[in-house]
Amino acid sequence: AIREAWGNVVVVTATLLIVLLLTCLMSSSLREDIVSPLQKIMKLIQGLQEDPLSQLDTSALTTKKGVMEVSCVANALSGLSYLIQMSFGEAGAQIIGSSLKDNKLDVDSSGKVVHALFGFCDIRNFTDLTEVLQEDVVRLVNNVGQIVHDAVVANTGAPNKNIGDAFLLVWKPKGGDGVSIKHVAENALRSYITIILEMQRDAGLLRW
C-alpha cells in the first residue's frame, strides 16, 4: 500500500511538472507571437494618429514563427494607411488624426485658414490618349503620377488629390514663421521644373 501510494505521488508530481512546463511554454509562445505583436500594432496606430502622413514600418511585427494572422493584420493596416494617405492627402491629415483620437467625426467643427501655394498639373489631350491607348492609359497615368509625386515630395510639397488626368499639389510653410513664402514658392517652382525634365527623359513615357 505504501509503495502504491508513493507511486501515485510520483505520477501526480510528474503530471503537475509537465502541466507547469507546458503552461510556461504556451505562455512564452503566446507572449512572443500574439501579445507582443499586438502591442506593436497598437503603437503603430498611435503613431498614425499623431501623424496620419507617416509611413508605417511593419517589419518589426514579423515573428520568428511567422504567425499568419499577425502578418495579415499588419499588411492590412499598412495598406489601409496608404489608401487613407492617398485619398485624403495632407489636407485631411488633421481630420484623420482627430477622428482616430476621439473615435468620432465631428462634421460641425469649424475649418481653419491655411496659407499655402497650390499647383495644378494636367495631362493634355487626355481624351484622345484614352481612345488611342485604351486600358494602357492607366499605366500612363500611374507613370506620370509617380514622377509628379516624387518631385513634389522631394521639394517639401504634398500631392493633395488626383482625379483622372489632373493632380492638385500643395506647398505649405513648414517649420514655423521663419520659413518665408519665397522659399516655399521656390520649392514649388523647382518641383515643376523637375517634373518637366523627368517627363522628357523618362523611358516609360517616351515609348508612348
Side-chain angles (χ1 to χ4, degrees):
I2 296 176
R3 187 174 298 177
E4 183 178 356
W6 276 108
N8 292 335
V9 170
V10 172
V11 170
V12 171
T13 303
T15 303
L16 290 175
L17 290 176
I18 293 174
V19 171
L20 180 61
L21 179 62
L22 291 176
T23 302
C24 293
L25 292 176
M26 292 180 61
S27 176
S28 176
S29 178
L30 287 174
R31 183 170 55 254
E32 179 181 355
D33 297 330
I34 304 297
V35 177
S36 180
L38 288 178
Q39 290 176 341
K40 293 178 181 178
I41 289 176
M42 291 303 300
K43 290 183 179 180
L44 288 179
I45 295 177
Q46 292 175 356
L48 186 63
Q49 169 189 323
E50 296 174 357
D51 183 9
L53 295 178
S54 63
Q55 298 296 324
L56 297 185
D57 182 13
T58 59
S59 59
L61 298 177
T62 305
T63 59
K64 294 181 179 179
K65 298 181 180 180
V67 179
M68 183 62 66
E69 290 78 4
V70 174
S71 299
C72 290
V73 171
N75 293 334
L77 181 61
S78 178
L80 179 61
S81 65
Y82 179 75
L83 289 176
I84 291 176
Q85 292 166 0
M86 292 296 293
S87 300
F88 289 90
E90 186 172 356
Q94 294 182 353
I95 299 175
I96 297 172
S98 177
S99 299
L100 290 174
K101 180 179 180 180
D102 301 331
N103 295 322
K104 62 180 180 179
L105 179 61
D106 185 7
V107 296
D108 296 326
S109 60
S110 59
K112 294 182 179 180
V113 176
V114 176
H115 298 281
L117 290 178
F118 292 89
F120 190 74
C121 182
D122 182 70
I123 302 177
R124 292 186 298 176
N125 302 323
F126 186 70
T127 302
D128 297 335
L129 287 174
T130 303
E131 294 179 357
V132 174
L133 298 179
Q134 298 296 324
E135 65 274 5
D136 287 335
V137 74
V138 177
R139 298 168 59 188
L140 174 65
V141 173
N142 289 339
N143 200 343
V144 173
Q146 186 67 49
I147 294 174
V148 172
H149 283 219
D150 289 346
V152 173
V153 172
N155 290 281
T156 67
N160 186 272
K161 182 186 299 183
N162 76 286
I163 304 175
D165 61 328
F167 301 87
L168 178 62
L169 315 170
V170 60
W171 290 265
K172 294 198 309 181
K174 298 179 180 179
D177 298 333
V179 179
S180 64
I181 195 66
K182 179 181 178 181
H183 180 69
V184 178
E186 290 175 349
N187 288 337
L189 180 59
R190 191 181 300 110
S191 299
Y192 275 102
I193 294 175
T194 303
I195 292 172
I196 295 173
L197 293 176
E198 289 297 327
M199 286 188 178
Q200 290 178 347
R201 60 192 179 193
D202 185 83
L205 291 179
L206 291 176
R207 68 187 183 89
W208 298 113

